[in-house]
Amino acid sequence: MREKVFRDPVHNFIHVNDPLILELIDTREFQRLRRIKQLGVANTVFHTAEHSRFSHSLGVYEVARQIANHLERFPSQKLGDGGWKVAERQVLLAAALLHDLGHGPYSHTFESIFKTDHEKFTQDIILSKNTEVHQVLAKFDEQLPEKVASVIAKTYPNKQVVALISSQIDADRMDYLLRDAYYSGATYGTFDLARIIHLMRPVEDGIAFEQKGMATVEDYIVSRYQMYEQVYFHPVARGIEVILTHLLKRSIELFQEQKQQHLKIEHFVTPDLKPLFEYNVSIEQYLDLDDASILENINLWRHSSDKVLAELSMRFLDRKPLKSIEIRPETRQYLAKLRPLIEDAGFNIKYYTAENDSFDTAYDLYHPTAKHAKTQIEMLQPDGSLAELSTQSPLVQALTGRSYGNARYFFPAEMLMEQTTGDLMAPVYQEFQRYVHNGALTEIENEILD
């Protein structure tokens, strides 16, 4: 096959010389990822962060391709020697390309509201005989759909392949750090990808890194930490996410009310969203969903007769984020004083306030002692033994177990606006601002890059 090359701002070129990969790229299911943003609502803060899960997935494939080329220098010679099995290349590359296939629009907010699981949908899409992805995989190897799905499920018997797709330092994370840094305009996520790949060595239970390159791995860990602090957990983006969460919850409430009253609900949500609101969505229906599906409905709800839904929709579409303050153990008690003031100002605290804990997301810093610890990063010693990274690096040891992100209390921005003396509500706003600015709670976030 003649090689096909995709231009890419992160990897310069993405090379495809495998007929299987090219056919998978052309499937309906993979092309859908063009219509789903990689960073959800982050573009409301970082205005160039418009990249898609399609471009990220291609990038993960390219990183995996480079890794596979490198690991072929260390082939397995006999059973149990820990070498790389060249025959695993096809499974690795297909899993890298398809790992995000099941993401829905505004992925993490979407999952929390509609109780979906993108990894489960990824597996179901791959295993369903009705999907183009399944048919392409099965055409090349009848067992390939099951193999690729098991890599996503982390049950594939070859732990090296699983680690390269899902571990503390894998093809997925390496691409999204570089890609998100590039498109957000941040410089925190940069690290030496080529050097990290060069340091990789296959071992019996996964992948290790040569001890001599520990500084490069440290750089990756620090870059990841900084990206979560500065980009992924940005308080303004979280304020927009809270609005999206509340407006979707309100829309579901109204949908259920209309359904119970036997009203015509087809006018409330578009047909593609109706199965989702009924929590009974098939794979085929799920594949009809993308960012445009949600935006189309929010545009409709902007003109809803329900004032809460209409107002929240306006705030989301016109970028009117909720403001926030950090919640610390010693200041949490003051929230009880803020809530009635917000209600007195005319806001329903159910829809216009929220406690948002960034620790409760899918992201976490490398922490080998955590309850749900992921695969450890192992450093290959000169004598052939393995040592966990934090035991070798004082820098990583300092970061291990250190919390990042924070808990925040979100509320309408109007609560911080100056009020005229003639406004009867002025005392309410003044008292609220007194609590916020006089040290009862930490100061309002500084909206750098906003």
Side-chain angles (χ1 to χ4, degrees), residues 230-264:
Q230 303 298 325
V231 177
Y232 302 136
F233 288 161
H234 196 286
V236 177
R238 286 163 61 188
I240 293 289
E241 285 183 348
V242 169
I243 291 175
L244 178 59
T245 298
H246 284 342
L247 76 86
L248 288 175
K249 285 183 177 179
R250 180 57 180 165
S251 67
I252 292 172
E253 291 174 355
L254 294 173
F255 179 89
Q256 295 300 330
E257 288 177 8
Q258 291 189 1
K259 188 176 180 180
Q260 291 172 1
Q261 296 171 12
H262 304 290
L263 300 176
K264 289 186 176 182

Side-chain angles (χ1 to χ4, degrees), residues 314-384:
M314 177 276 293
R315 287 176 183 258
F316 179 79
L317 293 171
D318 296 348
R319 194 194 178 280
K320 308 292 183 185
L322 299 177
K323 292 292 186 178
S324 67
I325 44 182
E326 184 177 354
I327 305 171
R328 295 182 297 178
E330 64 270 22
T331 60
R332 179 174 290 277
Q333 59 180 312
Y334 294 102
L335 296 184
K337 298 182 181 297
L338 297 183
R339 293 188 185 101
L341 294 174
I342 295 171
E343 285 189 305
D344 288 346
F347 296 99
N348 187 327
I349 61 173
K350 178 180 178 180
Y351 301 109
Y352 289 92
T353 69
E355 291 185 46
N356 180 272
D357 188 345
S358 63
F359 306 109
D360 191 27
T361 69
Y363 309 110
D364 58 69
L365 185 63
Y366 177 64
H367 185 7
T369 60
K371 182 178 180 180
H372 301 292
K374 298 182 179 180
T375 305
Q376 294 183 341
I377 298 177
E378 302 285 359
M379 305 305 294
L380 185 62
Q381 306 300 298
D383 63 0

Side-chain angles (χ1 to χ4, degrees), residues 123-181:
Q123 296 166 48
D124 290 345
I125 292 167
I126 292 171
L127 293 174
S128 171
K129 294 182 179 180
N130 296 322
T131 64
E132 293 180 17
V133 159
H134 178 95
Q135 293 162 12
V136 170
L137 290 169
K139 183 178 72 173
F140 282 81
D141 179 351
E142 289 184 356
Q143 297 181 339
L144 198 51
E146 287 76 13
K147 290 179 179 179
V148 174
S150 67
V151 173
I152 306 301
K154 305 178 185 64
T155 58
Y156 191 62
N158 188 316
K159 294 181 180 179
Q160 294 171 348
V161 175
V162 174
L164 291 172
I165 300 300
S166 181
S167 65
Q168 287 293 322
I169 182 166
D170 56 29
D172 178 24
R173 284 166 174 77
M174 287 192 283
D175 180 81
Y176 77 58
L177 287 177
L178 293 172
R179 192 167 300 276
D180 296 347

Side-chain angles (χ1 to χ4, degrees), residues 208-249:
F209 300 84
E210 283 199 18
Q211 178 76 16
K212 66 181 182 181
M214 187 170 65
T216 306
V217 179
E218 288 175 332
D219 188 37
Y220 162 84
I221 294 293
V222 172
S223 295
R224 183 169 178 240
Y225 176 86
Q226 291 176 326
M227 281 294 287
Y228 280 102
E229 283 278 7
Q230 303 298 325
V231 177
Y232 302 136
F233 288 161
H234 196 286
V236 177
R238 286 163 61 188
I240 293 289
E241 285 183 348
V242 169
I243 291 175
L244 178 59
T245 298
H246 284 342
L247 76 86
L248 288 175
K249 285 183 177 179

Side-chain angles (χ1 to χ4, degrees), residues 265-266 269-276 285 288-289 296-297:
I265 57 179
E266 62 266 21
V269 295
T270 55
D272 55 346
L273 235 60
K274 184 177 176 182
L276 199 64
Q285 292 167 331
D288 286 336
L289 301 172
E296 180 183 7
N297 282 271

Side-chain angles (χ1 to χ4, degrees), residues 408-419:
R408 305 192 74 86
Y409 182 66
F410 289 84
F411 53 85
E414 289 86 342
M415 298 304 300
L416 296 179
M417 293 181 180
E418 293 184 7
Q419 303 296 323

